[in-house]
Amino acid sequence: MKCVCEGIDLSDAVLKVVKACATKTVTPVLECIKISAKNDKLILTAADGEISIQKTIKAEVYEEGEVCVPGRYFSDFIKKLEGVQITLSAEDKKMKIIYADSQTDMQVLSADEFPKIDLDINENSFTLKTEDLKKFISATSFCCAADDSRPILKGCQFIIRGFDICVTALDGFRLATVNGKVVSSTGDMEIVCPARTLNEIEKMIPDGDGETQIFVQRGMILVSSDNTVLTSRLYNGDFIKKENIIPKDFTTVVKVDKASLKASIERAAILVRSDKNSLIIFDINGDTIEISSNSEIGNVQEPVKAEIEGKDVRIAMNSKFIIDAVSALNEDKIVLSFNSQIQPFICENEQEKDRLYLILPVRTSNAG
């Protein structure tokens, strides 16, 4: 294999695909990026068994071929060469990287060992406005579970019925759900897509007024944008029904200025950020939310004015969870709804009810 390409193009491609390289594996080739030189193109591919990313760039190809290079090392090296033209030349188990008057050699593996990536995924599909897809991902994926105890909770559930779409994520302690519209779909469907995949899709698709089509087939999805193709497996299993979790009625409803509440919570969170639960307490009484936190470092106690209907309530919660939820809401006024100090509460925009965040409180004698 021998080809010449621009360093900026190669660096951009490598930085995109390296996200799909495995980090801890007994299969070394999964830590690699496969480089294929064919016609006038260079195709870079990485895959770790869950997700694959493929990026195509222009190149002058003098000798076709393909090899696998160590993903992280190659990525770190090439991003230092963005301003020069690069010649890649592979023979036996070594690749020469020639740039300006310099040359570097890097060990490579045979491309025969690299897994075959199925790009024939087109049986079903749905199309969204790109800005809506980005909104759905950013507004929900942070609520997905991070551990492997219940793998399906590491993904977001997409339910499409007609032109309606609902995206939901939960980790056992909090839940996010967002509703919207699709531009089109081949039919009703329900999938659970890994949060990691969705976050890569969000970075991959450009900002703007365009549309993004997502293909679904045999427990896999495919998204293509700007000469980049991402495929990922989907999670199988029964997702938790949010209707069984979200309360329908509340005894205390609080309307509050988002900026004031968020600023106060963030200050209270600073002194408890090293604690296990990062615990803060809301004491809702009269026309005030008294926000407090207490640790070995010190304590915070701040009143925030609010419009309150219903019973007084004192409730403890993880400060990160409430900060994430409040930050994800996009109106100046938000609404918090409670039942008791031990029951889950919800956060919503005041006007547009397209998104909802539910948080389980933390049981503590200090909240009683």
Side-chain angles (χ1 to χ4, degrees):
M1 183 190 88
K2 185 175 182 181
C3 64
V4 178
C5 61
E6 296 299 325
I8 186 70
D9 295 336
L10 184 59
S11 177
D12 176 66
V14 169
L15 291 175
K16 276 188 170 66
V17 304
V18 75
K19 306 286 184 61
C21 287
T23 51
K24 296 178 181 178
T25 177
V26 295
T27 310
V29 76
L30 295 182
E31 297 179 12
C32 291
I33 295 171
K34 184 174 83 167
I35 301 177
S36 304
K38 191 173 183 181
N39 297 328
D40 59 349
K41 295 174 183 174
L42 205 59
I43 303 168
L44 292 89
T45 309
D48 65 0
E50 177 176 88
I51 184 175
S52 78
I53 303 176
Q54 184 177 99
K55 173 76 174 177
T56 302
I57 62 172
K58 290 183 178 179
E60 294 180 38
V61 177
Y62 298 101
E63 186 178 331
E64 294 187 349
E66 51 187 22
V67 295
C68 291
V69 296
R72 305 289 169 184
Y73 292 105
F74 188 71
S75 170
D76 290 344
F77 193 83
I78 293 300
K79 71 182 179 183
K80 304 294 185 183
L81 301 175
E82 292 185 347
V84 298
Q85 197 172 66
I86 297 172
T87 299
L88 302 178
S89 177
E91 193 172 343
D92 296 328
K93 294 184 178 181
K94 190 177 291 185
M95 170 180 277
K96 289 181 181 179
I97 306 171
I98 303 170
Y99 47 99
D101 296 325
S102 303
Q103 175 180 312
T104 295
D105 292 342
M106 191 172 288
Q107 296 294 320
V108 297
L109 297 177
S110 169
D112 295 338
E113 302 174 36
F114 197 81
K116 179 173 170 49
I117 307 301
D118 183 10
L119 300 181
D120 186 22
I121 299 170
N122 55 19
E123 185 177 312
N124 299 296
S125 70
F126 58 97
T127 302
L128 295 156
K129 290 182 179 178
T130 298
E131 63 180 352
D132 287 345
L133 177 57
K134 284 179 174 281
K135 177 188 78 172
F136 293 147
I137 295 171
S138 64
T140 57
S141 62
F142 65 86
C143 282
C144 291
D147 61 67
D148 293 318
S149 58
R150 300 178 71 183
I152 199 166
L153 298 188
K154 294 173 68 178
C156 290
Q157 179 197 52
F158 285 64
I159 296 178
I160 297 168
R161 299 286 184 265
F163 287 96
D164 295 321
I165 182 170
C166 179
V167 183
T168 303
L170 72 156
D171 63 6
F173 301 98
R174 54 180 173 167
L175 174 147
T177 186
V178 182
N179 293 287
K181 298 288 184 181
V182 298
V183 175
S184 65
S185 72
T186 56
D188 293 352
M189 63 186 81
E190 184 174 327
I191 62 172
V192 180
C193 185
R196 175 189 169 209
T197 298
L198 293 171
N199 291 332
E200 290 305 325
I201 291 172
E202 184 184 13
K203 295 172 193 171
M204 183 180 95
I205 55 180
D207 295 327
D209 300 328
E211 297 177 352
T212 299
Q213 189 171 17
I214 297 177
F215 295 93
V216 182
Q217 185 174 330
R218 298 188 304 273
M220 299 286 294
I221 69 164
L222 181 148
V223 180
S224 177
S225 175
D226 190 26
N227 294 317
T228 304
V229 181
L230 178 148
T231 69
S232 172
R233 68 180 181 87
L234 301 170
Y235 291 138
N236 294 317
D238 294 326
F239 203 80
I240 293 172
K241 294 186 182 301
K242 66 181 183 299
E243 296 81 6
N244 299 336
I245 299 174
I246 301 172
K248 305 222 174 9
D249 301 299
F250 300 94
T251 58
T252 307
V253 177
V254 179
K255 187 187 299 182
V256 63
D257 178 75
K258 172 187 165 178
S260 299
L261 181 69
K262 183 182 175 187
S264 185
I265 295 169
E266 288 175 339
R267 286 189 289 270
I270 290 172
L271 297 189
V272 292
R273 64 187 174 195
S274 60
D275 294 353
K276 179 182 177 183
N277 288 318
S278 301
L279 200 69
I280 65 169
I281 293 175
F282 280 14
D283 194 348
I284 299 165
N285 192 327
D287 62 353
T288 303
I289 307 174
E290 189 84 27
I291 299 171
S292 60
S293 66
N294 187 40
S295 72
E296 294 178 354
I297 306 299
N299 62 77
V300 174
Q301 195 162 347
E302 292 191 11
V304 176
K305 287 292 183 183
E307 298 175 38
I308 299 169
E309 294 182 7
K311 299 179 180 178
D312 296 346
V313 63
R314 182 176 170 87
I315 188 167
M317 66 200 70
N318 181 301
S319 61
K320 181 181 186 310
F321 293 173
I322 185 66
I323 289 171
D324 285 347
V326 170
S327 299
L329 296 172
N330 57 353
E331 291 183 0
D332 293 338
K333 290 273 190 180
I334 62 173
V335 176
L336 313 179
S337 303
F338 305 86
N339 278 314
S340 74
Q341 66 181 44
I342 61 172
Q343 292 177 282
F345 65 95
I346 68 169
C347 312
E348 297 176 286
N349 287 318
E350 178 191 23
Q351 299 294 332
E352 180 127 17
K353 303 298 184 182
D354 63 329
R355 61 189 75 185
L356 176 149
Y357 298 93
L358 176 144
I359 300 171
L360 288 181
V362 178
R363 297 195 183 203
T364 169
S365 57
N366 291 333

